[in-house]
Amino acid sequence: MSAAAPSTIDQDEVDRFSAMASQWWDPTGKFRPLHKFNPVRLTYIRDHAAARFGRDPKSPEPLKGLRILDIGCGGGLLCEPMARMGADVVGADASETNIEVAKIHAAQSGVEVDYRAVTAETLAAEGEQFDIVLNMEVVEHVADVDLFLSSCADMVKPGGLMFVATINRTFKALALAIVGAEYVLRWLPRGTHQYEKLVRPEEIEGPVGNSGMQVIDRTGVFYSPISDSWQLSRDMDVNYMMLAARLE
């Protein structure tokens, strides 16, 4: 009997997010932190993509003509804004429940997104190619980080970009992103994140670099209770985003 093909799916994680799927678009529900996080990450993606592809970030459709993959898209919180900015968007998630929720919301909103219940490695094996791959708040939930990142990187066209956002594996992140956010403030359901599955920046840079891409930007992200918003920071000890590019 042949060995099973390696997979990035962590079924416990898929089941956990599937159980909360009905709340994806509730800004006061279990995904409230992502709704709060969306403005800063959308701006980061838009501005770097515009710079890379020679676009005006302030134009109505700065991403027009670009093909974008949002892997681990959940209910589509990033997909719909990307599509509104003119991009041709594929939203992929291992949870069929999440995909159905995303499809219903997109139809209600009149936004066109190609949603698929599929894994990164399957899309890569099918030869899919994209100008931009969004890998946002996903890497800490997969079973095989190296396979996941290499599969995502393989789908980036020459000259294209991959964005990664996640939580650092530090004691500061344990205190703030897990104990604080899940057990004290109750922003997220308990068990949303496991400390041992958090990913350090160098653990992203390794497989991304081995796939022929180069990290060209790194930034921390922090929550300001004064403004009730997320902001960019030099401190990457808790939340951070990275941008990698594939050379022409």
Side-chain angles (χ1 to χ4, degrees), residues 23-39:
Q23 298 194 42
W24 272 109
W25 287 94
D26 180 358
T28 63
K30 293 181 179 179
F31 294 103
R32 178 177 178 269
L34 281 182
H35 284 269
K36 288 287 186 181
F37 195 21
N38 240 16

Side-chain angles (χ1 to χ4, degrees), residues 67-71 129-136 151-153 155-157 160-164:
R67 190 165 192 247
I68 295 180
L69 169 66
D70 182 10
I71 190 71
Q129 291 282 285
F130 300 89
D131 298 293
I132 297 172
V133 172
L134 303 179
N135 182 340
M136 312 296 280
S151 297
C152 291
M155 291 187 281
V156 179
K157 294 179 181 178
L161 300 172
M162 180 166 72
F163 293 83
V164 181

Side-chain angles (χ1 to χ4, degrees), residues 194-206:
Q194 291 80 50
Y195 178 75
E196 65 274 10
K197 294 194 71 174
L198 301 184
V199 185
R200 296 181 185 275
E202 59 268 24
E203 294 168 346
I204 290 175
E205 292 180 355

Side-chain angles (χ1 to χ4, degrees), residues 11-238:
Q11 193 59 50
D12 288 341
E13 296 279 6
V14 173
D15 293 343
R16 180 179 297 111
F17 283 93
S18 294
M20 299 186 289
S22 63
Q23 298 194 42
W24 272 109
W25 287 94
D26 180 358
T28 63
K30 293 181 179 179
F31 294 103
R32 178 177 178 269
L34 281 182
H35 284 269
K36 288 287 186 181
F37 195 21
N38 240 16
V40 71
R41 62 182 185 169
L42 283 169
T43 300
Y44 183 80
I45 293 165
R46 181 202 65 192
D47 290 353
H48 279 284
R52 182 72 173 183
F53 295 102
R55 310 295 179 83
D56 177 2
K58 301 299 183 183
S59 68
E61 294 187 319
L63 306 181
K64 189 174 181 61
L66 297 178
R67 190 165 192 247
I68 295 180
L69 169 66
D70 182 10
I71 190 71
C73 66
L77 299 188
L78 275 177
C79 291
E80 289 194 19
M82 292 290 112
R84 288 193 178 96
M85 284 191 271
D88 175 13
V89 181
V90 174
D93 199 284
S95 167
E96 293 186 6
T97 306
N98 285 344
I99 290 297
E100 288 307 310
V101 169
K103 286 180 177 179
I104 291 170
H105 194 274
Q108 293 172 340
S109 304
V111 179
E112 185 174 345
V113 178
D114 179 4
Y115 283 116
R116 309 180 195 179
V118 68
T119 64
E121 60 268 27
T122 297
L123 286 172
E126 291 173 351
E128 291 280 7
Q129 291 282 285
F130 300 89
D131 298 293
I132 297 172
V133 172
L134 303 179
N135 182 340
M136 312 296 280
E137 293 77 42
V138 183
V139 71
E140 71 271 26
H141 299 293
V142 303
D144 187 328
V145 172
D146 286 4
L147 175 61
F148 179 71
L149 288 170
S150 61
S151 297
C152 291
D154 287 346
M155 291 187 281
V156 179
K157 294 179 181 178
L161 300 172
M162 180 166 72
F163 293 83
V164 181
T166 190
I167 303 173
N168 206 341
R169 193 172 67 255
T170 63
F171 288 121
K172 186 175 180 180
L174 173 63
L176 296 178
I178 296 181
V179 176
E182 298 181 18
Y183 291 84
V184 178
L185 297 174
R186 305 288 181 87
W187 284 352
L188 294 166
R190 293 182 179 184
T192 299
H193 296 102
Q194 291 80 50
Y195 178 75
E196 65 274 10
K197 294 194 71 174
L198 301 184
V199 185
R200 296 181 185 275
E202 59 268 24
E203 294 168 346
I204 290 175
E205 292 180 355
V208 167
N210 292 338
S211 298
M213 299 192 72
Q214 179 181 4
V215 174
I216 59 174
D217 189 72
R218 306 164 184 81
T219 185
V221 191
F222 79 100
Y223 173 74
S224 169
I226 296 175
S227 63
D228 188 26
S229 65
W230 288 84
Q231 301 173 15
L232 299 183
S233 167
R234 293 181 179 179
D235 182 358
M236 295 177 59
D237 284 348
V238 184

